[in-house]
Amino acid sequence: MITFARSTSLALLFTLTFTGSLPAQPDLFRRDNLVAWCIVPFDSAHRTPQQRAEMLEKLGIHQLAYDYRAEHIPTFDEELEQLKAHHISLLSWWFPTVLNDEAKLILSVLKKHNVKTQLWVTGGGAATNSPEEQRARVMSEAQRIRPIAEAAAEIGCSVALYNHGGWFGEPENQLAVIEELKLPNVGIVYNLHHGHEHLDRFRELLKLMKPHLMALNLNGMIPKGDQLDQKIMPLGAGTLDVTLLKAIRESGYDGPIGILNHTENDAEARLRDNLDGLDWLLPQLDGQPAGVKPTYRSWSPPVKQTATPLRPSVSRLVDGNEAYRQPPLTIVCEAKLRHSQVYNILVTSDTKASGLHWELFSQAGNGVLACYLPGHHPNLITSSANVCDDQPHRFCLLYEPHRVRLFVDQQQVADQAIERTAMPAVPGKFAIGRLVEGGLQCFGDIGAVQLYRDIADPRRLAD
C-alpha cells in the first residue's frame, strides 16, 4: 500500500508499505533463459542460417550457442545477420583451441557485427601424476588460453572453459587455470553430457564453479549413461533429472541454461523434446506429482536394456613417435563395433590439444566412420558408412599432407582435401581403443592395427 503525504519542503512524500510477500525471483528455467546448443552441424535437416533463426523464433528460444564446421565458415556473416533479424541473441561461439587463423577470422566477424559473446574453448590431456606435473600443466594451459582471452577482451567478449573430457574437462583443473590467468573475462561453461563421472559430487562441484559459471547445459541423465549407450538423452528421460535440476536451482546459479540436440536427428524435434521434458520436470522440483510423461519425437528407450555398463575393448597406450604423427601415413584397423550411440575410438596419436593429432573413430548417434584433425581445415572428415553393425570390418585411413581418404573393406567412403592450420603440435602418446587423454574409449572388438609411413593401396593391404 502507498500512502501519500502533503507536499512541503521537508515533508515525507510517501510511505511504501508491503502488505504481502516479496515478489518471487524469476524462474531459472524460464523459456527466455534457455539457449539452443549443438544444433548447427548436428541437424538432419541441414538448416540454413535463416531457417535456423526462424526455427528458434518459432520455438520461443531467443539465445543460440553457435557450433560450426568448415562448411559453415562462408555463412558466418549471414548467421549473425539472421539472428539479429529474428531477435536471437548469440550467447556463445564454439571456438578453436588456439588463436589460429580461423580463430582470428571469427573475432573479426564478431567485431564487424559488434557482437559481444562468450567463446567456448575446450582442451584435453591425460591425468597428471605428480604435483610438479600438475603445476606445469596448469601453467601450460593458462599460456594457451591467455592469447584467446586477451584478444576476446579487445572486442568485449569473454572466454568460457568447456568440459569435454580428459584433464581439461575436470572442473578443479579449469578453476586452477582460471586462478593462474587472473583475467576477469574467463569463466566456465559446464555440460552435463560430458559430466557423467561427476554425478556423485555434482553439488560440491557446482558450489566450486558457481562464481565462475557463465553457462550450464542440461541433458537427460542416468548413472553411467555414457557407458550404457545413453549419453545424450532428452530432458525427462533420465532418472536423475529431477535431482540435478533441483541442485542447480538451489545452488543460486542464475545464468543461461542450455538445451541441446547433439544427435543426428532433426534439431527442432530434439529441442521440442527437451522443452516438453523440462515442462514435465519443473512441477516435480516443487514436490508436485508428475503428470503424463511426454511422448518424445527424437528419442525412444533402448530396445535392449543393459543391466551392466558396456564393456570397452582392451586399449593400449604407448609412447608416441614423430613418425606416427607426420603425414603421409596409412592407418589400418580391424574391428567389430556394436554400439552406434557412443563414440568408438579406434586409433589416435597425441591429444586433441595438438595440431598434429589425428583420430580414427565412429561417431556417436549415427555410427559413421570419421577422422578428426584439429590442426587442419576442415578438422572433421565424415563418411557415409555406418560401421556399428556388429560385423568385422577393416578400416583404413590414408592421411596425406593435403588429403584424407577413408576406406571400409576396400571401399572408399570419404575423400577430403585438407590444409594445415597454425595450431601448434603438442607431442604425446599413441593410443589404440581410447583417447590418449582418456575419457572416450571403444566399445567393440579391435583386432590388428597397422601403421605405414607412406600411402598404401587398401586393396593390397587386404591380402
Side-chain angles (χ1 to χ4, degrees):
M1 178 179 67
I2 300 177
T3 304
F4 288 91
R6 292 182 179 179
S7 179
T8 67
S9 59
L10 296 176
L12 179 66
L13 296 180
F14 62 84
T15 301
L16 193 63
T17 305
F18 288 96
T19 58
S21 60
L22 290 170
Q25 294 297 312
D27 180 13
L28 174 65
F29 303 108
R30 65 192 185 276
R31 188 66 59 92
D32 66 2
N33 196 42
L34 299 182
V35 185
W37 174 223
C38 287
I39 68 164
V40 181
F42 298 98
D43 183 9
S44 63
H46 303 291
R47 287 175 171 83
T48 65
Q50 179 178 343
Q51 292 168 336
R52 189 160 34 252
E54 289 173 347
M55 180 259 290
L56 293 175
E57 188 175 38
K58 178 175 65 175
L59 294 177
I61 299 175
H62 297 289
Q63 298 183 86
L64 172 68
Y66 181 68
D67 52 337
Y68 71 96
R69 298 293 184 264
E71 64 265 26
H72 303 108
I73 292 176
T75 61
F76 279 174
D77 286 299
E78 183 186 358
E79 193 81 39
L80 296 184
E81 291 163 0
Q82 289 296 331
L83 292 178
K84 182 178 180 180
H86 292 274
H87 314 290
I88 310 295
S89 298
L90 183 71
L91 175 82
S92 64
W93 193 304
W94 179 254
F95 204 73
T97 56
V98 294
L99 195 61
N100 55 21
D101 290 342
E102 194 164 292
K104 293 174 183 177
L105 171 63
I106 294 169
L107 293 172
S108 69
V109 172
L110 293 172
K111 182 178 180 180
K112 173 183 174 182
H113 292 269
N114 193 29
V115 172
K116 305 182 190 313
T117 190
Q118 301 174 14
L119 308 178
W120 288 358
V121 181
T122 189
T128 55
N129 298 310
S130 68
E132 294 77 17
E133 186 180 352
Q134 173 72 6
R135 177 61 185 155
R137 182 74 60 79
V138 169
M139 294 177 65
S140 173
E141 288 298 275
Q143 185 178 13
R144 175 174 69 90
I145 298 296
R146 186 177 296 278
I148 300 175
E150 291 175 346
E154 291 178 3
I155 61 171
C157 290
S158 56
V159 170
L161 309 185
Y162 185 103
N163 64 309
H164 201 280
W167 182 93
F168 193 82
E170 294 300 320
E172 293 95 338
N173 293 335
Q174 293 181 334
L175 291 169
V177 171
I178 291 172
E179 174 60 27
E180 178 69 22
L181 286 167
K182 291 183 170 58
L183 295 175
N185 68 326
V186 180
I188 290 174
V189 51
Y190 187 80
N191 301 270
L192 281 177
H193 64 288
H194 288 305
H196 284 85
E197 68 274 21
H198 300 150
L199 290 175
D200 291 341
R201 56 194 183 101
F202 179 68
R203 283 183 178 269
E204 171 192 345
L205 291 176
L206 197 54
K207 183 177 180 181
L208 292 174
M209 291 187 293
K210 187 193 163 201
H212 306 279
L213 198 56
M214 300 168 68
L216 198 159
N217 296 322
L218 304 180
N219 180 57
M221 298 291 285
I222 64 171
K224 298 183 179 179
D226 56 336
Q227 301 176 42
L228 291 169
D229 219 9
Q230 299 180 66
K231 179 176 180 177
I232 307 295
M233 301 169 65
L235 293 171
T239 57
L240 301 177
D241 295 358
V242 171
T243 300
L244 293 171
L245 265 61
K246 276 186 177 180
I248 293 167
R249 187 173 69 176
E250 291 169 1
S251 73
Y253 169 73
D254 60 359
I257 294 290
I259 58 174
L260 66 157
N261 181 16
H262 208 303
T263 73
E264 300 304 317
N265 297 311
D266 181 277
E268 180 176 351
R270 179 50 67 97
L271 289 177
R272 287 188 181 276
D273 283 345
N274 275 301
L275 293 173
D276 291 348
L278 187 59
D279 288 343
W280 180 73
L281 290 168
L282 289 179
Q284 300 175 59
L285 304 190
D286 298 317
Q288 299 178 30
V292 178
K293 195 166 186 175
T295 300
Y296 295 112
R297 306 162 184 82
S298 66
W299 180 86
S300 58
V303 175
K304 181 180 178 181
Q305 296 293 335
T306 307
T308 57
L310 301 177
R311 293 186 179 275
S313 63
V314 176
S315 63
R316 291 194 64 186
L317 184 65
V318 300
D319 289 340
N321 189 299
E322 191 67 15
Y324 300 165
R325 58 180 65 97
Q326 291 282 2
L329 292 171
T330 296
I331 300 97
V332 181
C333 178
E334 296 177 354
K336 182 165 68 172
L337 306 177
R338 303 181 182 87
H339 304 283
S340 63
Q341 296 307 307
V342 294
Y343 289 99
N344 290 290
I345 309 300
L346 295 167
V347 193
T348 182
S349 177
D350 300 341
T351 71
K352 292 178 184 285
S354 173
L356 290 179
H357 169 84
W358 58 260
E359 174 186 328
L360 183 63
F361 69 102
S362 74
Q363 286 191 318
N366 59 10
V368 302
L369 187 67
C371 174
Y372 180 54
L373 301 162
H376 291 76
H377 171 71
N379 59 19
L380 180 65
I381 295 88
T382 59
S383 73
S384 56
N386 182 345
V387 296
C388 298
D389 55 4
D390 202 20
Q391 298 297 315
H393 294 291
R394 178 173 289 208
F395 307 120
C396 186
L397 164 61
L398 303 188
Y399 174 24
E400 301 176 71
H402 299 288
R403 184 185 186 189
V404 165
R405 285 171 285 168
L406 297 174
F407 288 78
V408 178
D409 300 330
Q410 306 176 52
Q411 297 297 314
Q412 183 171 294
V413 293
D415 187 350
Q416 176 66 57
I418 59 172
E419 291 295 333
R420 180 82 166 89
T421 70
M423 184 176 181
V426 182
K429 292 183 178 293
F430 182 86
I432 299 171
R434 54 166 286 177
L435 289 178
V436 170
E437 59 266 44
L440 296 179
Q441 304 174 80
C442 178
F443 297 92
D445 300 321
I446 297 180
V449 173
Q450 299 168 317
L451 189 65
Y452 297 86
R453 191 71 176 89
D454 205 345
I455 299 300
D457 185 339
R459 292 168 295 183
R460 292 186 178 182
L461 292 175
D463 298 330

